[in-house]
Amino acid sequence: MSLDETAQPIDPQTLAPLDTVTGLEPEWWRTAVIYQIYPRSFADSDGDGIGDLPGITRRLDSLADLGVDAIWLSPFFTSPQKDAGYDVADYCDVDPLFGTLADFDILRQKATDLGLRVIVDIVPNHTSSAHPWFEAALVDGPGSEARSHYLFRDGRGDRGELPPNNWQSVFGGDAWTRITEADGTPGQWYLHLFDSSQPDLDWNDEWVREQFLSVLRFWLDRGVDGFRVDVAHGMIKRPGLPDYTPPADAGSMGGGQEAAEPPPYWAQDGVHEIYRSWRTVLDSYPGDRILVAEAWVDPLSKLANWVRPDEMHQAFNFSYLESGWKASSIRRVIDDSLEVFASVGAPSTWVLSNHDVVRHASRLGLTVENPQGAGIGPKSKGLPDRAIGLARARAASAVMLALPGSAYLYQGEELGLPEAIDLPDEARQDPTWFRTEGARYGRDGCRVPLPWEAASPAFGFNTTGESWLPQPSDWAAYARDTETGDPSSTLELYRLALDTRSRFNLGAGSIEWLTGYGPEVVAFRNGDVTVIANTGAVPVELPVAEELLSTVPLDGAALPGDATVWLRA
Ligand code: NOJ
């Protein structure tokens, strides 16, 4: 056979030039492992108890060492911090809490030097109420142009004393707040799907659209590799803003609602033309810049609409995050994900934790349902056993990191950090906690500052010992320096998994299911790697093969429950 006869058709992507910004391969995002940094809680250089950009820059080497491909930074923009920075008062500046634009440039340069891409957050659904656009809307009055950028409406009732509809805020309570007009009279109401400090923009307004195209360009010009788009399923509301009552078991962000007709504030068709225009902007830049959607849309076949070829590049796979530790659910969601994302030419993503959900080292050990956004605290029912939660988290992460596509890690999961459950009430800061008067704990428990050094103040988060949320006293055991070099640690497990994933090119692979291990086992082959995860309690007999990675020490030829092994196929 001549060489010509065996040649495969050439994929034009393989001929694409190297990225002009970083010199790295194009389409890096199809297989990338992307690490979420929550700036408030990563590393604090000035000792005020809140993390900052220089702190991140100093600790970036540890992420390159971990083996990730990119970082995503949660918001660090000018903000009153009513929702930890998801309330933006200036999209094109850095809040002094976190540093300056020059600090951002230094961070980005260091990341590039280390071969790490940088994705920033963009929050288009709402601004802060301290944004000059909203302040002008309050001053200028009903019918003004400034007001038309937001969703102001007259109230119902004889004197406009009732909210315009029955919508509830994601964080609890009414989604409308009534203002006092400049002349002192009770006035119109404005919509806020989140906190009252986060007024929703009206995305039918052309002016709003233009402003955000400028914001994209501002950060693209500064060299970012992409944007994580906050609430990417919420920007357009159904005309007429009709009343709507969600099912009792719906997640706060809309997940779990598979009805043909979506809620009037989530997943409206009109959002797609916005992303098409954004995509055009990104494509006009050199390099390979991406958009990733935070869209809590079910089922996955609907979410695929966010990543059609002319829209976003990726969408977080929250169906995967919500599939729990049950083999049949995990298999189903993997199959669905690979099929539906491939049908539109997008890679699947995989995600188990982020700053809005209970950390998976605790979540996978819960014995009662915990809808997204509810959080857990000392009085929650069905609290997890820490050892079981950690064993499952390690096993689940080992499944995730063997899958083809792109995986997202949330800071601290590589240390096996649990949710901080026992935070004192007076320390809590999530608006959910306040707006539900303590009925929902919210998300503070997954946002506690990271432990770096067991023996340092604030476990090395800074040098002063200050911490905006108190760190549990037993976190020395999870500190990065404690775990470094300990082959049984979660940190070393992640490093081995990322290295092996890269050596065997698992991100670019495809999976073939393996049968015969029983209903409680997830078993598949990805290229030269066989992955076997036992979600049950009964040990599973393993084939004889070289062990590449195991989440537990293997004693003989059986895989115990709550464990995953990678074998050389
Ligand atoms: C989703 C973000 O991830 C969350 O933290 C925030 O509270 C809401 N969007 C509102 O911006």
Side-chain angles (χ1 to χ4, degrees), residues 277-288:
S277 71
W278 288 22
R279 178 66 180 255
T280 308
V281 172
L282 265 71
D283 286 350
S284 72
Y285 276 76
D288 200 5

Side-chain angles (χ1 to χ4, degrees), residues 83 86 123 126 171 194 198 228 230-231 253 294 355-356 443 447:
D83 183 23
Y86 282 94
V123 188
H126 45 266
F171 296 153
F194 296 90
Q198 296 166 294
R228 173 268 190 191
D230 190 62
V231 199
M253 292 285 286
E294 186 226 12
H355 64 294
D356 290 329
R443 305 157 295 171
R447 298 174 172 183

Side-chain angles (χ1 to χ4, degrees), residues 29-203:
W29 43 276
R30 289 189 175 275
T31 58
V33 176
I34 301 173
Y35 183 99
Q36 179 188 359
I37 293 181
Y38 194 66
R40 296 176 75 84
S41 302
F42 189 74
D44 173 22
S45 74
D46 61 8
D48 65 356
I50 299 181
D52 47 43
L53 299 184
I56 296 170
T57 304
R58 276 186 215 162
R59 296 284 194 183
L60 264 191
D61 295 303
S62 63
L63 300 186
D65 176 66
L66 178 62
V68 302
D69 303 296
I71 56 172
W72 147 37
L73 297 160
S74 280
F76 49 80
F77 316 110
T78 312
S79 159
Q81 302 291 315
K82 301 278 189 211
D83 183 23
Y86 282 94
D87 48 320
V88 181
D90 184 345
Y91 290 92
C92 298
D93 207 351
V94 174
D95 194 283
L97 261 186
F98 300 117
T100 61
L101 278 172
D103 291 328
F104 175 80
D105 293 339
I106 293 168
L107 191 170
R108 194 205 55 77
Q109 186 57 54
K110 170 120 187 246
T112 304
D113 294 346
L114 290 169
L116 297 171
R117 307 278 180 150
V118 178
I119 294 171
V120 297
D121 223 302
I122 189 163
V123 188
N125 178 69
H126 45 266
T127 67
S128 161
S129 54
H131 197 293
W133 303 341
F134 190 72
E135 289 177 341
L138 292 182
V139 173
D140 285 6
S144 63
E145 191 190 328
R147 227 167 247 202
S148 70
H149 307 325
Y150 291 88
L151 288 155
F152 279 89
R153 294 289 183 274
D154 293 332
R156 295 193 283 201
D158 293 345
R159 284 160 288 109
E161 73 280 14
L162 300 172
N165 69 23
N166 72 345
W167 296 359
Q168 295 292 291
S169 149
V170 167
F171 296 153
D174 280 344
W176 295 91
T177 290
R178 191 173 197 186
I179 64 159
T180 302
E181 300 293 352
D183 64 3
T185 56
Q188 288 193 298
W189 299 70
Y190 66 89
L191 178 70
H192 50 87
L193 289 184
F194 296 90
D195 188 48
S196 55
S197 63
Q198 296 166 294
D200 280 46
L201 286 161
D202 186 349
W203 272 86

Side-chain angles (χ1 to χ4, degrees), residues 15 19 61 101 113 155 166 168 172 174 216 282-283 290 424 441 456 480 483 503 531 540 543 555:
L15 296 178
D19 184 307
D61 295 303
L101 278 172
D113 294 346
N166 72 345
Q168 295 292 291
D174 280 344
L216 292 177
L282 265 71
D283 286 350
I290 69 163
Y441 284 106
S456 299
R480 195 164 299 253
E483 296 199 16
R503 277 196 301 125
V531 176
V540 169
D555 182 14

